[in-house]
Amino acid sequence: MSISHGQVTGLPRWDRCAVMGVVNVTPDSFSDGGRGFDVESAVKRGLDLVAEGADLVDVGGESTRPGATRVDEAEELRRVIPVVRELAGEGVVVSVDTMRASVAERSVAAGARLVNDVSGGRADARMVPVVADAEVPFVVMHWRGQSVDMNDRAVYGDVVTEVIGELRASLDAAVAGGIAADRIVTDPGLGFAKRAGHDLALVAAVDRLRAELGLPLLIAASRKRFLGRVVARPDGTPPPARERDAATAAVTALAARAGAWAVRVHEVRASADAVRVVRAVTGAGGEGAA
Ligand code: PMM
């Protein structure tokens, strides 16, 4: 009963669900309290995530949380490029989380091996051609528009069917734009124009998403609002984001069991253990298992 998690051309092959650790180079995480960002601390954070079991590290310089407004291009480059360069120089498999083609291009030149675009190529018309030219893998996430007002677009009849249909359109555009299908990862975009019930339905449908889209799947539930609601205190108050890591690891186990290619998480250790437990359990049911 071993599970196939899929493989992405241009990246290492893992015999289990991979774990992508998150380094958000944003003012609330790595500000040095003054003019700039503390590159050294952000790099150390990335290396710590690898030591805890991350297979890849996703570096982003722009918050996409609900209500977030955009940072300008120069600022995003200033935050992201030095961190990408240093982590790649240390041999880390680096992914860059950006909606801007210029940031993707410069990140790949600095050593990034994967471009993770929450807009799936829709926010910047140059993104697909740039990724196609660079011949790097590309994450196409389900997206209905910028974060500032995305909650207004969280309206679905059948969320799983609609997300699959809308993802297909972005995936077709990526392939038509020259990105090889075997370099594409897809992602239902938990929390992006989704309410808690939508997110839960999508987590429950990982195997269907995989089967119908036919591509490696990234699941990024880490610390998101829907988990805060699930593990809310008796008075209904959600715990703060940092107290949602056990709930996140539970989603990791479910996603890995359903064949996700990777999970994207802020706290790596528990998820790194979870994917190993899933591999051990799913590999243990064969002949001779007494
Ligand atoms: N979510 C966030 C950022 N990047 N990338 C992908 N592929 N999928 C996601 O769901 C996703 C992402 C927002 O999360 P954070 O601000 O808590 O890191």
Side-chain angles (χ1 to χ4, degrees):
M1 77 181 193
S2 76
I3 304 167
S4 164
H5 298 277
Q7 195 191 348
V8 182
T9 298
L11 291 176
R13 185 188 185 107
W14 297 283
D15 64 346
R16 52 170 168 71
C17 178
V19 177
M20 175 187 278
V22 178
V23 175
N24 282 327
V25 195
T26 51
D28 49 339
S29 0
F30 293 105
S31 171
D32 65 2
R35 285 169 299 136
F37 282 88
D38 181 352
V39 172
E40 207 177 308
S41 307
V43 170
K44 181 177 181 311
R45 175 86 186 129
L47 294 174
D48 287 348
L49 294 176
V50 171
E52 287 165 17
D55 301 296
L56 318 91
V57 172
D58 192 39
V59 178
E62 176 168 48
S63 174
T64 49
R65 298 205 176 116
T69 50
R70 305 224 44 200
V71 294
D72 71 36
E73 178 180 349
E75 178 64 14
E76 191 184 349
L77 286 165
R78 195 167 70 85
R79 293 179 184 182
V80 163
I81 302 302
V83 179
V84 168
R85 182 175 298 114
E86 290 214 22
L87 284 173
E90 296 286 337
V92 175
V93 180
V94 176
S95 149
V96 60
D97 184 343
T98 186
M99 288 183 269
R100 284 196 172 97
S102 58
V103 177
E105 196 165 31
R106 300 256 311 261
S107 295
V108 170
R113 307 250 314 258
L114 172 71
V115 174
N116 173 25
D117 178 357
V118 299
S119 84
R122 294 174 51 201
D124 183 338
R126 281 188 62 238
M127 181 63 93
V128 167
V130 159
V131 172
D133 268 3
E135 299 189 330
V136 288
F138 188 48
V139 177
V140 173
M141 198 191 84
H142 177 258
W143 189 78
R144 283 186 164 182
Q146 297 291 351
S147 298
V148 65
D149 57 356
M150 67 181 171
N151 285 345
D152 301 341
R153 290 186 282 276
V155 181
Y156 300 87
D158 172 345
V159 66
V160 176
T161 303
E162 286 170 48
V163 165
I164 289 173
E166 290 169 30
L167 268 176
R168 276 210 183 104
S170 296
L171 292 164
D172 288 349
V175 172
I179 302 178
D182 63 2
R183 292 187 199 272
I184 298 179
V185 172
T186 191
D187 177 337
L190 302 176
F192 286 80
K194 320 255 173 359
R195 302 201 181 280
H198 301 137
D199 292 323
L200 291 168
L202 288 163
V203 171
V206 167
D207 47 5
R208 182 175 158 206
L209 291 165
R210 253 184 81 217
E212 294 196 21
L213 292 166
L215 289 170
L217 204 65
L218 175 64
I219 297 295
S222 188
R223 297 181 176 174
K224 285 188 174 165
R225 282 168 306 158
F226 78 101
L227 291 179
R229 287 184 60 156
V230 171
V231 297
R233 292 162 183 152
D235 69 357
T237 318
R242 284 181 181 281
E243 291 171 30
R244 300 176 195 166
D245 290 328
T248 300
V251 176
T252 292
L254 290 166
R257 182 68 185 82
W261 169 73
V263 289
R264 176 185 181 277
V265 295
H266 299 86
E267 195 282 312
V268 161
R269 194 180 300 270
S271 285
D273 285 354
V275 296
R276 285 164 175 78
V277 169
V278 170
R279 176 180 55 187
V281 169
T282 52
E287 219 176 305

